[in-house]
Amino acid sequence: MDFVDRLPLFPLFFSFVVYPLAAWIVLRLLPQKIRMQLFALLNVGGLAVLCLLGGAKNIRIKMAVPYSRAALSFFSVYVVLAVLHYFVLRLSKRDKTIWPTVAFLSPILFLAYTKYAIESFDPLNGLVVPIGLTHPALFFIGVSYLSFRLVLLVQDVRNDVVEMPNIWEYLSFAFFVPTLSVGPISPYGRFIKSVRTIDREKTPIGRSLLRILVGFTKYIFLGSLLAQFAYTGLLRDGHPHALIDLFIAIPAYALYLYCNFSGFCDMVIGISGLLGIEIMENFDRPFQTRNIQEFWNRWHISLSTWIRDLVFTPLTKATMRRIPPKYGNHAIAASLLVAFFLVGMWHGTGMNFVIFGLMQGIGLVTLHYYTIWLKKRLGRQGFADYRKNTPIRLTATVINFAYFSLSLFFFANNWADIAAIHLALSGR
Amino acid sequence: MSCLLLLPVIAGALGHPSREQAYAGMSGESGPLGANIREIFHDPASADILFLGSSLLRAGIDLPMTEQGLTAHLGRPTHVETLALNWQGMDMQYFLLRDYLQTHHPSFIIWNLPVPGSRAIVPHVQAFRFMRFGEYSEALAGLPLQYRLSLYGEMILGSPRELLSWVRPNLLSKSESEELIHSPAVGYYGAKFIPLSPAVPPLDTGVTYEPQPWPSIVVTGPAFNSYEEHFAEEIVQLAKQKGIPLAFIHFPIDGERGMSTMPERGKLPLLQAGSAMIGAPSSAAFEGVGDADFLKYYMDQHLNRNGSVLYTERVLPAILKSYDTAVLHEQ
C-alpha cells in the first residue's frame, strides 16, 4: 500500500498511538505547572491533525493546498468559537441575566447551524466547493459530541457540581482527542478529577489494555465481517437481491453498528484508561434488554443520559406543572416523543434520521402505555411475575432487538439508498 | 473467535460455490461484471483476440471496431472480447484469465499493464470476493509471507458472503447480464460530453507497433512491488503454458499530453515476454487534435467514447499486424 492507501488509517494511528504516547508524556512526566497548558495544546493540535486528515482521502493531489487551507480555516473557526464559549461560560457565573442561557444554548445553536444551515452561508461554503466537497461540516470533527459535552459542562458549572475550569482545562476537555469524534459524552467532573490524579482502581492498566484489544477486535474484525451482510456490503452492492437478503441485512446492520460503535468506545475508554483518565461507559449489553426503555439505558448510555437529564426530565416537569395530574401519563408520552425526535435529529440531517428517532419515541410511548395497562390488568404481584417469566423475557428480548434493528434501516439509509434497495429487491 | 479465523478453511472444506458466484458477489462498482461473467462462463466461443487489463483498457478500446477490422482483415467472422474490471490489480487479471482459460482458448492475448500514474492497490480492492481458500493455491504459493497473510485476511473477510451464497445465489440483473463493454460518453471530470468524430487517418504501424526493444517505451514510475511482479509473471506463464501468444498495449492517459514516449511501469524483462508493444505516444495519437479539444477525448485518466474511437482507429492496423505476426506467423 502506498501513502494514499494508508491515509484512512492515519486518523486511527494518530488517535490511538501517537496521541496517547504524547499525552502520557505531557500528563505524567512533565512538571505540573505546564501540564494543563501543554495538554490543551496537544488536544487542540490533535484536532488540527484530524481536521486535515478527515477528508483527505478523497482529495486529488493537486487540491492538497486548497484543501489544507480550507481544513485549517475551519479548524481555526472551531477553536475560536470554543474559546468564545469559554468566556461566555465565565461570564455566566458572574452575570446571571442572559449569559447562562447564551452559554447553554450557543453550542446547540452552533450544532444546528453546522447540520442544517451551513450550506447556505457562502463565506464558509465557498471554501469547500472548489475542492470538490459539498459540506464544510466534515471539518467540524465531532461537533455533535462537542456541543453536548459543553452543554453538560455549562449545566454542571451552573449547578456547582464542578468548579469553573481554567481555559487550559476547558480546551483539554472540549477537544480531548480520544472522545472527539464519537464520544462518549463524558462529564467534565470525572474527566478533570482523573486528569489531576490517577486512580488506578478506576482505570487499571491491565483492564484498559484488555478494553483496547476487545475494542479493536470488535471494531476492525467483527465489524468488518458483519458489514458484509449489512446494507452497504449486501443490499447496496449494485445487484438485485432476493427478499431474504433484507431479513439478513436488518439484524446484521444492528450487530455491525454495535461492534463498530461499542468497539471504538472500548478503544477510547481503554486508551483514556491507560492515561489514567476515566471516561464513562457507553454500552452495557444492550441486546440483552427486554424493552426499548431498558435498551436506551444500555445503548449509547452517555447520549441517553444527556437526553434524560437535559431534555426529558425538565420537559416532563415543566409540562406536569402546567397540566392537570390526570394527564400526567400523556405528558410523559409527549416528552418521550420530543426527546427522541431530538435524538433522531442529533444523529443526522434528513427525514430518515427523524423517522429513526420517532420510532424510538413511538416504541417508548407504546411501552409506557402498555406497562400502565399491564399493571392495571395484572396487579402488582402479577406484574412482578410477568417480569420474572423467562419465556416472556426471551420473547420480549427478541422483539426488542427486531424493532431496534428495523428502526436502524432509516438510520443507515437515506432516501436514495432506500430507493436503491427497493430497486435491488425488485430484481432490477 | 478461532472459528471466525478459520472461516476460509471451513468454507473451503464445505466446497466453494462456483467461480461465477464469486464474481457475481463483487460490488457493482467493480465494472461490467455481467459482461465478464458472460464471456467466461456462458459464451462458449473462444476469442480471436482477448484484451486483458484494467479500466484503462476497457475504456480505451473500441471492441466493435476492432472486431469489424479483424473480420475484414481475416475474411471470416471473428470474436473479440475484453476481460477488464475497475481498479488496478494484476491479481484480478490473473484470476479472470485463468477462469477464462478453463473453457476457452483465445488465439491472442493483448494485455495492458499499470501505468506510472497508477497506485499499487495490493491486493485488489475486491480480492476478498474472488480469492477463496484452496483455489489456485499454487498461483499464490510463490508470494512473500506478508502477502499470503494479507490474502488470508481477505479470505476471512469474504467468507461470510461466500457461505451466504450456499443459502441463496448472488444475482445479476437482466441489464447486467446483457451489458456490452463500451467506453462511456462522459466529459472530462463531469463536463458535458461533446461527441466528436474527426476524420483522423490511422497512424503508421511504424509508430504504433513496436517489437522489441520498444524505442518509444520509457520505464518509469514506481517499480512493481513483489506482489504485482508475482502476478505479472503468473499471467505470462499461464499464457505460455496454454501456448497463447501475448502482446502489450499502451493507452495514453490525460497526463501524457504532448509526450512523444509511452511511459510504462513494467520492467523490460516483463515486457520481453510479449511479442510487441502496441500503442502510440500521446503526441502521435492526438496529432491534429487542437489543445482546446484534447480533453474532450477523456473522462479523467481514461479515454472516453471520443478517445476510444480515435485511439482504436489509429492503432487498429498495429493490432492487426501484431495478430498476424503472433498468431498467423506462428502457425
Side-chain angles (χ1 to χ4, degrees):
Chain A
M1 283 202 294
D2 66 7
F3 170 76
V4 178
D5 295 307
R6 290 191 180 98
L7 214 45
L9 300 174
F10 278 9
L12 276 180
F13 179 72
F14 175 79
S15 299
F16 292 112
V17 178
V18 174
Y19 171 85
L21 282 171
W24 174 259
I25 292 168
V26 166
L27 281 178
R28 307 301 171 201
L29 297 181
L30 293 188
Q32 185 147 7
K33 62 181 179 192
I34 56 167
R35 200 177 285 171
M36 278 322 294
Q37 290 92 317
L38 287 177
F39 190 51
L41 290 174
L42 178 65
N43 284 297
V44 171
L47 172 68
V49 170
L50 293 176
C51 280
L52 275 167
L53 295 176
K57 184 189 168 211
N58 298 319
I59 299 297
R60 294 162 59 204
I61 294 291
K62 49 177 103 165
M63 285 293 158
V65 170
Y67 169 82
S68 303
R69 200 181 309 131
L72 291 173
S73 301
F74 284 109
F75 155 77
S76 306
V77 166
Y78 208 7
V79 174
V80 163
L81 287 175
V83 170
L84 280 174
H85 179 259
Y86 173 73
F87 288 110
V88 168
L89 179 64
R90 285 199 78 89
L91 208 53
S92 72
K93 273 302 253 189
R94 294 199 305 270
D95 180 347
K96 298 210 192 283
T97 51
I98 59 160
W99 295 111
T101 307
V102 172
F104 185 88
L105 284 181
S106 50
I108 306 286
L109 290 174
F110 180 64
L111 173 63
Y113 169 76
T114 59
K115 278 189 182 300
Y116 294 101
I118 207 163
E119 278 181 61
S120 56
F121 185 56
D122 284 337
L124 285 180
N125 205 39
L127 275 171
V128 296
V129 167
I131 56 174
L133 298 174
T134 56
H135 208 282
L138 81 94
F139 292 116
F140 295 121
I141 307 271
V143 65
S144 301
Y145 296 91
L146 175 83
S147 58
F148 273 28
R149 205 154 46 239
L150 293 181
V151 167
L152 203 55
L153 172 64
V154 168
Q155 191 79 341
D156 288 346
V157 166
R158 186 164 75 180
N159 295 337
D160 294 317
V161 172
V162 295
E163 45 182 62
M164 173 67 71
N166 63 39
I167 182 68
W168 308 114
E169 290 166 340
Y170 172 89
L171 287 174
S172 302
F173 171 69
F175 296 121
F176 182 51
V177 166
T179 61
L180 194 57
S181 43
V182 293
I185 308 165
S186 201
Y188 172 74
R190 200 186 289 215
F191 171 82
I192 201 62
K193 194 169 163 199
S194 52
V195 165
R196 286 175 184 152
T197 322
I198 296 183
D199 180 351
R200 279 297 174 202
E201 282 195 17
K202 291 201 169 123
T203 55
I205 290 180
R207 201 166 68 200
S208 298
L209 284 169
L210 189 61
R211 285 302 286 270
I212 295 169
L213 183 62
V214 168
F216 187 81
T217 305
K218 281 156 81 177
Y219 181 70
I220 297 288
F221 183 53
L222 295 176
S224 300
L225 284 181
L226 287 162
Q228 304 308 308
F229 291 134
Y231 301 111
T232 310
L234 185 63
L235 283 177
R236 292 193 339 239
D237 64 358
H239 304 305
H241 286 271
L243 193 59
I244 186 176
D245 284 358
L246 181 64
F247 293 104
I248 291 169
I250 287 174
Y253 182 79
L255 294 170
Y256 156 76
L257 185 63
Y258 171 72
C259 288
N260 186 277
F261 195 3
S262 74
F264 199 92
C265 288
D266 284 335
M267 290 194 286
V268 165
I269 291 168
I271 291 286
S272 304
L274 285 181
L275 295 174
I277 297 174
E278 194 194 353
I279 300 294
M280 75 178 285
E281 292 292 337
N282 224 8
F283 292 87
D284 179 14
R285 296 157 296 147
F287 296 137
Q288 291 178 23
T289 51
R290 65 185 295 152
N291 58 50
I292 198 86
Q293 180 186 1
E294 281 181 24
F295 179 84
W296 276 99
N297 286 337
R298 286 154 73 166
W299 172 279
H300 206 168
I301 297 168
S302 62
L303 174 68
S304 54
T305 307
W306 194 100
I307 286 289
R308 182 195 64 208
D309 293 346
L310 279 94
V311 177
F312 174 74
T313 304
L315 184 62
T316 307
K317 283 182 180 169
T319 312
M320 296 280 218
R321 277 199 288 270
R322 286 163 174 76
I323 59 169
K326 66 177 177 174
Y327 297 125
N329 287 327
H330 304 315
I332 291 171
S335 298
L336 284 170
L337 279 175
V338 168
F340 279 86
F341 169 76
L342 293 174
V343 163
M345 290 191 72
W346 179 86
H347 277 93
T349 57
M351 276 302 295
N352 56 304
F353 289 102
V354 172
I355 293 174
F356 165 72
L358 284 175
M359 281 187 72
Q360 311 311 307
I362 290 166
L364 283 157
V365 166
T366 306
L367 174 72
H368 171 64
Y369 286 117
Y370 176 67
T371 306
I372 293 169
W373 175 82
L374 212 54
K375 280 178 177 169
K376 268 193 200 142
R377 182 130 189 238
L378 300 176
R380 187 191 291 193
Q381 188 54 48
F383 185 73
D385 292 339
Y386 171 89
R387 292 277 307 175
K388 283 188 213 146
N389 183 295
T390 303
I392 289 175
R393 184 175 56 77
L394 290 173
T395 306
T397 303
V398 170
I399 292 171
N400 191 41
F401 175 75
Y403 183 77
F404 181 70
S405 302
L406 191 61
S407 72
L408 285 178
F409 179 84
F410 297 97
F411 177 86
N413 300 294
N414 58 30
W415 296 130
D417 296 330
I418 291 171
I421 290 171
H422 178 257
L423 208 63
L425 292 173
S426 322
R428 284 173 284 148
Chain B
M1 193 59 64
S2 34
C3 276
L4 292 176
L5 290 173
L6 290 173
L7 266 179
V9 179
I10 295 169
L14 289 173
H16 299 293
S18 65
R19 291 289 308 156
E20 183 179 349
Q21 277 294 294
Y23 293 117
M26 287 169 65
S27 165
E29 289 177 344
S30 303
L33 282 168
N36 281 250
I37 286 171
R38 190 179 63 242
E39 286 163 7
I40 296 171
F41 299 105
H42 298 288
D43 182 357
S46 293
D48 293 282
I49 296 178
L50 178 71
F51 287 98
L52 177 72
S54 67
S55 53
L56 285 177
L57 174 142
R58 197 182 72 242
I61 198 74
D62 187 314
L63 284 181
M65 185 191 295
T66 308
E67 196 169 271
Q68 276 165 25
L70 188 64
T71 296
H73 181 70
L74 297 179
R76 62 166 175 83
T78 59
H79 191 42
V80 174
E81 285 178 344
T82 297
L83 292 179
L85 291 172
N86 291 342
W87 301 300
Q88 291 287 357
M90 286 184 283
D91 46 357
M92 170 90 258
Q93 292 162 20
Y94 172 79
F95 272 75
L96 284 172
L97 181 64
R98 184 146 177 186
D99 285 326
Y100 184 83
L101 295 179
Q102 296 282 9
T103 49
H104 299 83
H105 189 90
S107 304
F108 189 34
I109 296 173
I110 300 180
W111 183 22
N112 95 299
L113 296 173
V115 294
S118 64
R119 295 185 287 121
I121 304 172
V122 296
H124 188 273
V125 169
Q126 291 280 301
F128 65 106
R129 291 271 178 255
F130 64 81
M131 288 202 193
R132 303 179 306 185
F133 185 80
E135 277 183 336
Y136 304 156
S137 45
E138 78 289 350
L140 310 183
L143 282 168
L145 181 63
Q146 68 171 101
Y147 291 121
R148 287 162 66 192
L149 288 174
S150 174
L151 286 178
Y152 187 76
E154 297 278 339
M155 291 171 190
I156 294 174
L157 190 62
S159 294
R161 181 70 185 269
E162 188 199 328
L163 291 168
L164 183 63
S165 302
W166 281 121
V167 175
R168 93 291 171 265
N170 295 316
L171 303 173
L172 291 179
S173 64
K174 192 163 181 285
S175 58
E176 282 179 302
S177 302
E178 293 171 356
E179 69 184 325
L180 299 173
I181 294 177
H182 55 75
S183 191
V186 171
Y188 192 66
Y189 284 104
K192 187 170 180 264
F193 176 73
I194 300 165
L196 300 169
S197 47
V200 286
L203 292 170
D204 185 340
T205 50
V207 176
T208 56
Y209 169 89
E210 289 197 343
Q212 301 185 25
W214 307 287
S216 300
I217 297 292
V218 170
V219 176
T220 183
F224 287 161
N225 59 35
S226 50
Y227 185 90
E228 291 173 299
E229 271 195 40
H230 174 85
F231 280 103
E233 189 53 40
E234 288 291 325
I235 290 173
V236 166
Q237 290 307 319
L238 184 59
K240 207 179 267 186
Q241 237 172 53
K242 300 286 184 177
I244 305 168
L246 185 69
F248 296 100
I249 187 165
H250 178 87
F251 291 94
I253 61 172
D254 58 340
E256 290 172 37
R257 182 175 181 166
M259 286 176 76
S260 57
T261 54
M262 292 187 277
E264 286 280 341
R265 277 181 67 205
K267 288 194 293 211
L268 283 176
L270 170 65
L271 294 175
Q272 279 158 359
S275 55
M277 172 62 79
I278 303 161
S282 184
S283 58
F286 291 95
E287 191 184 318
V289 172
D291 278 348
D293 285 340
F294 177 79
L295 291 178
K296 291 176 187 161
Y297 291 87
Y298 283 92
M299 54 181 179
D300 42 44
Q301 279 194 326
H302 301 75
L303 292 164
N304 63 13
R305 190 159 305 166
N306 289 334
S308 163
V309 168
L310 173 84
Y311 194 70
T312 306
E313 206 167 290
R314 302 208 101 166
V315 303
L316 184 57
I319 292 173
L320 300 176
K321 179 173 175 175
S322 182
Y323 181 91
D324 287 347
T325 307
V327 179
L328 300 182
H329 178 73
E330 290 301 313
Q331 286 171 356

